[in-house]
Amino acid sequence: MWMRFKRDRTGVISACIVLAFFLIAALAPVIAKLYGKDPYTRYGQLRPGLLNENFYPMKPNGGIDGEFWFGLEPGLGRDVFTQLIYGIRTSLSLAIIITLLSVLTAIVIGVVGGYFGGKVDYFLGRFTDLMMSFPNQLFFVAFTPVVAALLVDPRDEMPTWLRACVLIYVMWLLGWMTLARLLRGQTLSLREREFIEAARVAGTPPGRIVRKELLPNLVTPILVQATYMLPNNVTAIAGLSFLGVGLQEPTPDWGRMFATGAEIYQSDITYMFFPGGAMVIFILAFNLLGDSVRDAFDPKSGR
Amino acid sequence: MLRFLIRRSLGAVVILLIISAVTFFLFYAVPRDPATLACGKNCTPDALAVIRKNMGIDEPIPMQYWHFMVGIVAGRQFNVGDCPAPCFGYSFANQDPVWQTILDRFPTTVSLTIGGAVVFLVIGLGAGMIAAWQKGTLIDKAFSSMSLLLSSMQIYFIGPLVLALVVYNLELLDQPKYVPLTQDPVGWFLGLLLPWLVIQIIFTANYTRLSRSSMIEQLQEDHVKAARAKGMSGKYVFFRYAWRGSLIPIVTIFGVDMGSLFGGAMITEWTFSLPGLGTLAVNSVQNTDLPMVMGVMLFAATFIILFNIIVDAAYAFIDPRVRLS
């Protein structure tokens, strides 16, 4: 499996790019320290000569120079480079947690439904159908503020970690259904296979069959689906921030950079290219990686 | 067919009931005073009193839900005035009736959806078919790479870039806006052209890939080979045999996409400031305008379920082997 993956040059390159993004996210504070700036300080307002009277960077191309590699944020005058790496850090951590939770839920619901069948399966199946008919983007937008208001009085300031929890919760709630359906189908067909039947006849308890016989055979679809799920979660979180219901200022956030960029694109288009370019590279690399993982695990499927 | 439709419609009603109940209780059954929540950040005691009265907050929550549901079917009396069926109540933000607002906004969303769908179906299916026909050639590879690149693009990134380039730099078009088709067809077309071209990028790639793989699969099928073997022309077999079969997986995805698009393409509408359901939803959420959010939510869910039924019924037309049961 690993050998097959290593032979796939596109796969290896995209894996490296994805890994680089994770490293940047993990090491964002270290990078920022070496670079000598942080994402909160309003350099443009503190130091004269960086922003003009309309609060746009004085230098061309959004104020890019040797000191501010990606330029300055118009208005507040913060450093774009550190904003971006910290933003990637927040978005990626959220997306990873959401993906893990969704995958775990999908495994539980899919495998239990598929393995035990009967009434359990019927009700889990109807529950999955019901969750699927919620308009999910609308649900995210509508419920993030409601869940937030449930926890904190709307007039109070909400701590960032709590807001992040709300985002995770809402997206997890509607994130597991596709994979659960897939796993249910796979479990259903695996259940009839001889080795499972043999284990059952030998008196193995159901829990052990699921853990030792079923799950190892489901690793491939889980891994493949997870590589598709993660980038989708990244873009969905960014979409929420773009619509103004994601993480709030001053927490640096990848998606909110698009919202800022969309406000100022008429005067300073350069700003938009950094979060946008990074996002395109990340998603492209991840999609290619997903295809390669699928090919490596399951060479029969082909493209 | 009729039995199938009746059974599925009943199922749809049940699902909508559950969705409305979940939404309603999440919104109204909060431990804190729902009127304060509904009133939002800049709340005055006067506004609070009005909202309390309009919400019927003195009633127990199940009764409130009951009145809400009855209102949808039979209409309802409010202090502000009479609300004919289907009554979804009045907006907290500007006291407009919710149903009328949704109806006013819907044409924009429909125009955006249908125009966008035409663009992504033509480009996506066309490119997929050509790629399948020319499988393995340079054209196929170019189309495949192109669709991979497109699928990595985001509307909130491409939208502003396109606006900056086409509207502000080259000044080819005006800022996108919605003009009713009946009023000014040319203005309607030009006003929505950019949103159509931008909204299709997230779909086209998917449809290209899907139609290519499904077409290649169909061309290997026995009945297609048999048709070729008995001397039918390549073109005829390609379109009448293989293409028809390749549509089945596409119809499923298309139904799902249409269902969610009719509920409002939030990010696209927001990017281009089009007054559709998506913008309405985002604005209502920002103003904590709960009746409006509730209305849009149910409206959007109805479309998702409706299109699921349409997809299942459409199978029977495309593929006579499928029995509706």
Side-chain angles (χ1 to χ4, degrees), chain A residues 15-252:
Chain A
C16 289
I17 296 176
V18 167
L19 214 64
F21 269 91
F22 282 116
L23 274 179
I24 290 173
L27 298 177
V30 181
I31 298 172
K33 193 139 218 169
L34 289 175
Y35 172 68
K37 311 240 170 12
D38 66 73
Y40 304 103
T41 313
R42 301 174 173 187
Y43 298 99
Q45 295 184 352
L46 290 173
R47 271 196 310 210
L50 289 173
L51 298 182
N52 62 17
E53 64 274 20
N54 296 324
F55 295 107
Y56 282 103
M58 289 249 218
K59 292 194 178 162
N61 298 325
I64 298 178
D65 60 14
E67 203 190 346
F68 299 98
W69 294 354
F70 287 1
L72 288 161
E73 181 189 14
L76 296 179
R78 294 178 296 193
D79 176 57
V80 177
F81 179 69
T82 42
Q83 283 255 302
L84 182 61
I85 57 174
Y86 271 90
I88 292 176
R89 184 184 165 90
T90 16
S91 299
L92 274 190
S93 358
L94 285 179
I96 290 172
I97 299 173
I98 295 167
T99 310
L100 282 179
L101 285 173
S102 308
V103 166
L104 284 179
T105 318
I107 292 175
V108 171
I109 294 196
V111 169
V112 166
Y115 188 75
F116 294 101
K119 274 217 177 74
V120 181
D121 185 29
Y122 179 80
F123 284 113
L124 286 179
R126 293 294 78 74
F127 179 59
T128 313
D129 287 348
L130 174 72
M131 295 306 271
M132 277 186 127
S133 34
F134 272 98
N136 56 10
Q137 207 182 20
L138 190 56
F139 185 88
F140 298 151
V141 172
F143 281 90
T144 315
V146 172
V147 178
L150 276 175
L151 299 168
V152 177
D153 194 291
R155 282 159 298 185
D156 291 347
E157 204 56 42
M158 188 169 197
T160 304
W161 66 268
L162 203 60
R163 205 163 180 102
C165 286
V166 170
L167 278 178
I168 291 171
Y169 174 72
V170 171
M171 290 191 57
W172 163 53
L173 214 58
L174 289 188
W176 52 268
M177 289 89 72
T178 322
L179 181 58
R181 270 203 176 164
L182 192 94
L183 291 182
R184 176 190 168 268
Q186 298 266 349
T187 311
L188 222 54
S189 65
L190 280 173
R191 190 176 66 165
E192 307 300 325
R193 296 268 289 275
E194 286 87 351
F195 66 97
I196 303 265
E197 225 163 283
R200 210 169 352 193
V201 171
T204 323
R208 198 185 151 79
I209 297 181
V210 168
R211 262 184 299 121
K212 295 277 170 183
E213 314 283 344
L214 255 175
L215 282 182
N217 284 295
L218 293 175
V219 168
T220 309
I222 292 172
L223 212 69
V224 171
Q225 285 300 313
T227 54
Y228 290 121
M229 223 189 247
L230 192 98
N232 280 343
N233 285 335
V234 170
T235 55
I237 298 171
L240 285 185
S241 299
F242 176 73
L243 295 173
V245 291
L247 293 173
Q248 305 295 318
E249 294 280 6
T251 317

Side-chain angles (χ1 to χ4, degrees), chain A residues 143 146 149-150 235 272 288 291, chain B residues 26-27 30 32 148 156 209:
Chain A
F143 281 90
V146 172
L150 276 175
T235 55
M272 195 78 173
L288 286 170
D291 287 350
Chain B
L26 259 176
F27 274 163
V30 290
R32 220 163 272 113
L148 205 67
Y156 40 79
R209 280 173 131 183

Side-chain angles (χ1 to χ4, degrees), chain B residues 83-84 88-91 94-102 104 292:
Chain B
C83 176
F88 287 87
Y90 288 90
S91 154
N94 50 17
Q95 311 303 322
D96 288 338
V98 169
W99 182 244
Q100 193 51 47
T101 315
I102 290 178
D104 288 344
M292 202 62 99

Side-chain angles (χ1 to χ4, degrees), chain A residues 248-269:
Chain A
Q248 305 295 318
E249 294 280 6
T251 317
D253 181 51
W254 204 350
R256 223 187 35 247
M257 292 184 85
F258 290 100
T260 315
E263 277 166 27
I264 54 162
Y265 68 87
Q266 295 171 33
S267 337
D268 184 8
I269 188 85

Side-chain angles (χ1 to χ4, degrees), chain B residues 105-115 196 261-262 269 303:
Chain B
R105 300 295 194 99
F106 194 46
T108 311
T109 295
V110 172
S111 303
L112 177 65
T113 301
I114 291 179
W196 287 338
L261 275 177
F262 272 120
E269 288 176 14
F303 271 100

